[in-house]
Amino acid sequence: MLKKTALATLAAAALIPLGQAQAADYVIDTEGQHAFVQFKISHLGFSYILGSFETFDGGFSYDPENPEASGVEMEVQIDSLNTNHAERDRHILSDDFLGADSFPTATFVSTGFAPTGEGEGLLSGELTLKGQTQAIEMPVTLMGEGDDPWGNYRAGFEGSTTLTLADYGIDMSAFPEAMHELELYVTFEGIRQ
């Protein structure tokens, strides 16, 4: 996925060729608002904070006949964070947490894809957040593919994974253990090029 995408990580979420030319290339449809990078984290163990990154770009490659050749690249603009609370957003973007001034983007680049069932697989890759790169795995599901009403061919995927914030240099030691991890959810539709 890739020119500018968001957290998460992770995505996330998109697929780029890992070496085999048969896979079709797709651009994630961010202009049509058919892609989302969202997260959920406990709030002190009492409720949840839900948020999203609004600005990101990316692409993926996908071949249903050879799914192992699939791949994704994404880049997220960290300052596009939105948790529906401006003061909280400023705090999360500060050096206390994401350090958006020093680390304005998060990226995901896939390193492999292993099918696990019909339209399902395990996407492996490297997520870079706050200057720290970690290998992650994300189960993904093909939501559907086919022609759209405007003459394009589309495919859509969703996936989620759990991130440990300390792995990315985000110190959550002052908060309850329930807040030390967050769930990253990515869903996107791509237009075949």
Side-chain angles (χ1 to χ4, degrees):
M1 311 190 232
L2 204 82
K3 195 176 151 189
K4 296 177 180 173
T5 83
L7 214 196
T9 117
L10 342 248
L15 311 160
I16 245 189
L18 299 174
Q20 296 177 355
Q22 291 87 344
D25 293 332
Y26 292 76
V27 171
I28 296 174
D29 184 11
T30 56
E31 289 184 21
Q33 292 298 305
H34 298 126
F36 303 91
V37 177
Q38 301 173 319
F39 65 89
K40 175 175 141 178
I41 186 170
S42 173
H43 181 249
L44 305 173
F46 304 129
S47 184
Y48 291 101
I49 296 169
L50 302 177
S52 63
F53 292 90
E54 310 280 318
T55 305
F56 57 92
D57 287 302
F60 62 93
S61 293
Y62 173 67
D63 177 1
E65 301 303 316
N66 185 17
E68 292 87 350
S70 301
V72 178
E73 267 191 44
M74 291 185 73
E75 181 178 281
V76 173
Q77 300 303 305
I78 294 299
D79 66 1
S80 70
L81 171 80
N82 180 9
T83 67
N84 293 311
H85 190 285
E87 185 176 344
R88 176 173 57 215
D89 291 351
R90 282 191 294 274
H91 190 203
I92 294 172
L93 291 171
S94 76
D95 289 340
D96 288 346
F97 298 104
L98 294 178
D101 287 342
S102 300
F103 305 100
T105 61
T107 60
F108 176 78
V109 178
S110 65
T111 56
F113 181 77
T116 57
E118 186 67 31
E120 297 180 344
L122 187 65
L123 182 67
S124 304
E126 294 187 338
L127 174 65
T128 301
L129 174 65
K130 201 177 179 183
Q132 304 290 318
T133 301
Q134 300 291 335
I136 67 167
E137 292 183 336
M138 178 182 289
V140 296
T141 301
L142 172 66
M143 298 172 67
E145 64 176 314
D147 296 323
D148 69 18
W150 307 283
N152 300 305
Y153 191 88
R154 294 176 180 257
F157 294 84
E158 68 174 344
S160 66
T161 193
T162 299
L163 303 179
T164 300
L165 296 174
D167 290 347
Y168 299 92
I170 301 170
D171 182 8
M172 300 297 288
S173 60
F175 297 93
E177 190 172 343
M179 297 184 70
H180 294 190
E181 295 182 334
L182 79 100
E183 180 184 348
L184 176 65
Y185 173 72
V186 182
T187 182
F188 54 85
E189 213 173 90
I191 301 172
R192 190 167 66 188
Q193 301 302 288

